[in-house]
Amino acid sequence: MYDAKTQPLASLRNIHKAYGNLKVLSGIDLDMSPGERVVVIGPSGGGKSTLLRIMMGLEQITEGSIEFEGQPYITALNGKTRIDANVRKKMGMVFQHYTLFPHLSILNNLMLAAVKTRGMARAEARDKAMQLLARLGLEDKAGAYPSHLSGGQKQRVAIARALMLDPQLMLFDEVTSALDPELVAEVEQVMLELAEQRLPMMIVTHDMWFARNIASRVIFCAGGVVVEDGPPEQVLGDPLNPRTREFIQRVFHIHG
Amino acid sequence: MWRGFEGIMKIDFSFLSKYHEALLMGLGTTLHLTVICFGFALVLGFALALLRGSKIAPVAWAATLYVEFFRGTPVLVQLFWIFYCLPIFLGTELSNFTSAVVCLSLYGGAIMSESFRSGLKSIGREQYDAAHALGLGPWTRTIYVLLPQAVLRAVPVLLSNGVGLFKESALISAVGMAELMFIGSTISNRTARPVEVFTVIALIYFLVAFPLTRLVAVLERRILRRLAI
Amino acid sequence: MEYDLQFHYVKQAWPHLMEGLWVTLQLTFAANVIALTLGFGIALLVMSRHWFVRAPFALLIEFFRCTPVLVQVIWFFYCVPILFGVYLDPMPMGILALGLNLACFNAEAYRAAIQAVPREQMDAGVALGFSPVQRVVYIVFPHALRAALPVLITNGITLFQQSALVALVAIGDLMYMGKQVATETYRPIETFTTVALIYFAVSFPVARLAALVERRLDVARV
Ligand SMILES: Nc1ncnc2c1ncn2[C@@H]1O[C@H](COP(=O)(O)OP(=O)(O)O)[C@@H](O)[C@H]1O
Ligand SMILES: [Mg+2]
């Protein structure tokens, strides 16, 4: 039985990932406890998306293993990746590019997986969807199609769609990067609210102010390894590693 | 000696009013034929598109060969083959209409399978990712996420394929079926006034096909806007 | 089926079929030359700023695209001599009819490709001080030709196949020869199968080439 007090929520061991000859991750180790909000930062192409996609079970790995709530989740064995489908159901993910299903109304976007994969009754799924939409201030959009929504609204719907399945860990991959600046806040606000409810999250973002606000822990990833790992004040404010320092300086310089 | 534009002076369309019923009948046959073949070709095209994606190699391979062959040979050759050879194979005579339907449906199916396929291909990787992340199984993914988008995207192209069939159907006149083109040729032979007759025939085809191509353009914009994400 | 296939009749008629194929290829080649050049001109005209230049060419394009090729060919054969007093041999007439048809389809391909030239490319051209003609020559044309190439090749093959219908106006192309051989030998299955295979043998490799070009260009664009 999983004990949230003593055991990590997720523990990644020695994760390696290569696309053909291109090594993207070379030995990631990470223990994440429940209630933690881990923000992953790092240079573009450093493997942040890959890490989240692996957590979601979207990518094979070349080496390593992941446990979730004390159960084996992903293991690499002789070049094959075994992913436990039941554990996978505990992850939710929101992507950078809007991935709503364009041919379905907002309500149906939310209901589809709940009804088809979790066997939820339609009426129940509809109620739950409407509640979620109301919470995010989108109840009047239930019948609309994704193309009628702004980018910020679409990302909020994408978050709601993931929440429909009651994930134990939410993965956010640069969810505000494709948004116009004035739409970023509404999405970040939703994520901050989820943080208040202590939903465990892994977040990739380039927005350092947001990172500081939401993170309970920040990880700097570069060259396929974890370079620095610590509380946000330290990693973002006074990094120990020179590579982190250089990256932070550059990013704050651009954004500041 | 070049006789300039003498011919233009003699143009007179009035005699055609006598033939308007025959022309309408021809148009009716052409449309009837087109609609039937459109229906068959849709079904065949969809089936072929699925078969081409089959995991069983020989099945995929056979479907591909079929499509490439029908796309790679003239419709007229296909028509003559079906008209002269199919009865020998089947051992029975086929009516003109049946031969025409078989020919245009087989050809249309090959063309439309390509349209369905490109509809499927135009779905981005993010859609697959999202479906995976939501834990949708292969069946749910295909039926509720991929197929509807593929079909929606294919609608305008399929409709232009239909207009294509409408135009190709003029070839059927070559085997003596009394559709629009055949009736036109007959009238032209009888009256010895090809200029007026074939101009009118061309106009009739145009008046049917042109609005349809506009409709295709409108649908395409609408659907693209709707599916824009 | 009680039919025994005998291909030796076809073998005897092989030179006739090759003669026909040669005519078909000439027809296809000439029509493509006309269409590749004329098509670009029509595309530029149909994008003119002046409606009275645009309109007639837009109509021309729509007319050729929205009527059967057979009707166009027949119309040319019967009507051009009567209307304009021009008497051409069947072959030039066929080339003219098919060439014009293809030119209109190619014009659409060129037009779409020209419109797809990114706005910033033109802006960059202006910023770099190119004249309007220089912008067309150095920026628009290379972009458009690259983008249109797969469609132009595909249109070219389609014309190769559609050229079969000139057999109906007694031009001695592959289809015409095939019909003749089939009638003379009473061997329609063998003959038409062979004719189909010949058409396929020519158009399939070219279609593959078009697909290859398209993939190459897609890769180059990224
Ligand atoms: N499907 C893929 N095939 C090949 N290479 C990939 C693929 N996805 C990502 N990569 C490569 O892996 C590296 C890491 O990518 P990514 O995880 O997206 O980085 P980040 O999200 O940190 O910017 C990059 O060099 C990228 O080009
Ligand atoms: Mg990324």
Side-chain angles (χ1 to χ4, degrees), chain A residues 91-129:
Chain A
M91 318 287 149
M93 185 162 182
V94 183
F95 302 84
Q96 172 178 357
H97 296 288
Y98 321 118
T99 49
L100 298 183
F101 302 130
H103 61 295
L104 297 178
S105 69
I106 299 306
L107 185 62
N108 282 328
N109 259 280
L110 265 64
M111 288 170 59
L112 181 67
V115 172
K116 296 295 167 193
T117 71
R118 303 295 157 94
M120 204 185 273
R122 287 193 68 84
E124 193 190 340
R126 173 186 298 267
D127 286 347
K128 187 168 181 186

Side-chain angles (χ1 to χ4, degrees), chain C residues 3-221:
Chain C
Y3 190 91
D4 74 310
L5 294 172
Q6 295 193 359
F7 274 94
H8 78 265
Y9 289 105
V10 179
K11 224 166 160 187
Q12 278 177 354
W14 188 252
H16 285 288
L17 294 181
M18 284 301 105
E19 206 180 296
L21 176 62
W22 180 234
V23 172
T24 294
L25 289 175
Q26 282 176 318
L27 199 62
T28 308
F29 181 77
N32 265 291
V33 170
I34 292 179
L36 284 171
T37 45
L38 192 62
F40 192 73
I42 296 178
L44 290 180
L45 286 167
V46 88
M47 292 171 74
S48 158
R49 238 170 300 172
H50 309 289
W51 70 267
F52 53 87
V53 180
R54 250 184 356 243
F57 288 97
L59 193 66
L60 184 78
I61 292 181
E62 292 302 344
F63 216 87
F64 272 96
R65 283 161 55 91
C66 291
T67 50
V69 198
L70 179 61
V71 176
Q72 293 162 19
V73 170
I74 301 261
W75 195 92
F76 261 81
F77 268 74
Y78 284 109
C79 304
V80 168
I82 297 179
L83 284 178
F84 305 112
V86 181
Y87 295 88
L88 294 176
D89 284 339
M91 190 64 178
M93 197 66 110
I95 291 173
L96 196 64
L98 292 178
L100 269 175
N101 170 281
L102 186 59
C104 287
F105 279 87
N106 282 356
E108 269 304 290
Y110 280 125
R111 191 187 55 78
I114 292 172
Q115 282 176 346
V117 174
R119 177 82 234 160
E120 306 85 63
Q121 292 281 321
M122 293 301 283
D123 292 347
V126 176
L128 291 170
F130 286 117
S131 73
V133 173
Q134 284 175 322
R135 290 203 293 273
V136 169
V137 173
Y138 294 116
I139 302 172
V140 176
F141 191 70
H143 260 288
L145 190 64
R146 265 169 70 111
L149 199 56
V151 186
L152 294 175
I153 301 179
T154 309
N155 287 352
I157 315 167
T158 308
L159 184 101
F160 168 71
Q161 288 160 18
Q162 286 188 321
S163 74
L165 57 82
V166 299
L168 301 178
V169 288
I171 291 180
D173 75 332
L174 177 54
M175 180 71 206
Y176 183 86
M177 292 298 182
K179 262 173 69 179
Q180 228 172 24
V181 172
T183 325
E184 278 165 16
T185 58
Y186 297 103
R187 290 274 150 193
I189 295 185
E190 293 88 336
T191 314
F192 286 125
T193 305
T194 308
V195 168
L197 282 172
I198 297 175
Y199 274 106
F200 184 69
V202 175
S203 65
F204 184 69
V206 187
R208 292 289 85 192
L209 179 72
L212 192 76
V213 169
E214 192 164 8
R215 257 205 310 281
R216 277 277 171 93
L217 290 178
D218 273 348
V219 170
R221 200 167 295 143

Side-chain angles (χ1 to χ4, degrees), chain A residues 44-45 47-50 96 173-174 204 206:
Chain A
S44 173
K48 305 181 297 296
S49 298
T50 306
Q96 172 178 357
D173 187 10
E174 295 197 37
V204 174
H206 286 298

Side-chain angles (χ1 to χ4, degrees), chain B residues 72-205:
Chain B
T73 52
V75 186
L76 196 59
V77 177
Q78 295 163 23
L79 180 66
F80 274 72
W81 202 97
I82 285 162
F83 202 79
Y84 291 111
C85 309
L86 205 57
I88 302 179
F89 274 105
L90 296 178
T92 61
E93 282 295 313
L94 294 175
S95 74
N96 280 0
F97 193 79
T98 312
S99 302
V101 167
V102 170
C103 171
L104 284 184
S105 303
L106 291 182
Y107 166 75
I111 299 292
M112 289 189 192
S113 84
E114 285 289 292
S115 310
F116 278 117
R117 261 166 67 86
S118 58
L120 266 175
K121 272 199 220 146
S122 68
I123 300 172
R125 186 177 95 146
E126 315 88 57
Q127 290 288 315
Y128 289 82
D129 283 349
H132 272 293
L134 290 169
L136 301 178
W139 176 251
T140 317
R141 199 162 64 222
T142 309
I143 297 296
Y144 292 95
V145 177
L146 304 179
L147 215 56
Q149 292 188 55
V151 171
L152 261 181
R153 279 177 196 278
V155 164
V157 195
L158 291 170
L159 203 58
S160 352
N161 295 156
V163 179
L165 282 184
F166 170 70
K167 288 190 291 169
E168 296 290 355
S169 76
L171 289 177
I172 307 291
S173 63
V175 290
M177 199 183 94
E179 45 66 79
L180 184 54
M181 184 63 194
F182 185 83
I183 293 204
S185 310
T186 314
I187 298 175
S188 165
N189 287 342
R190 191 171 305 168
T191 59
R193 309 210 54 152
V195 177
E196 291 88 343
V197 174
F198 287 119
T199 306
V200 165
I201 295 289
L203 271 172
I204 296 175
Y205 276 107

Side-chain angles (χ1 to χ4, degrees), chain A residues 34-140:
Chain A
E36 249 186 335
R37 292 171 306 279
V38 177
V39 168
V40 185
I41 59 171
S44 173
K48 305 181 297 296
S49 298
T50 306
L51 182 63
L52 259 62
R53 293 172 59 83
I54 288 171
M55 285 298 293
M56 185 63 246
L58 291 173
E59 301 284 348
Q60 311 271 308
I61 54 177
T62 14
E63 214 184 307
S65 65
I66 302 178
E67 282 189 5
F68 193 81
E69 293 185 338
Q71 283 176 286
Y73 169 30
I74 297 175
T75 33
L77 259 185
N78 314 327
K80 275 203 171 165
T81 306
R82 292 197 24 201
I83 302 174
D84 188 314
N86 282 321
V87 180
R88 206 178 107 153
K89 286 185 177 169
K90 299 180 179 178
M91 318 287 149
M93 185 162 182
V94 183
F95 302 84
Q96 172 178 357
H97 296 288
Y98 321 118
T99 49
L100 298 183
F101 302 130
H103 61 295
L104 297 178
S105 69
I106 299 306
L107 185 62
N108 282 328
N109 259 280
L110 265 64
M111 288 170 59
L112 181 67
V115 172
K116 296 295 167 193
T117 71
R118 303 295 157 94
M120 204 185 273
R122 287 193 68 84
E124 193 190 340
R126 173 186 298 267
D127 286 347
K128 187 168 181 186
M130 289 310 291
Q131 272 172 24
L132 271 167
L133 288 175
R135 233 172 86 190
L136 301 186
L138 290 166
E139 63 269 58
D140 55 328

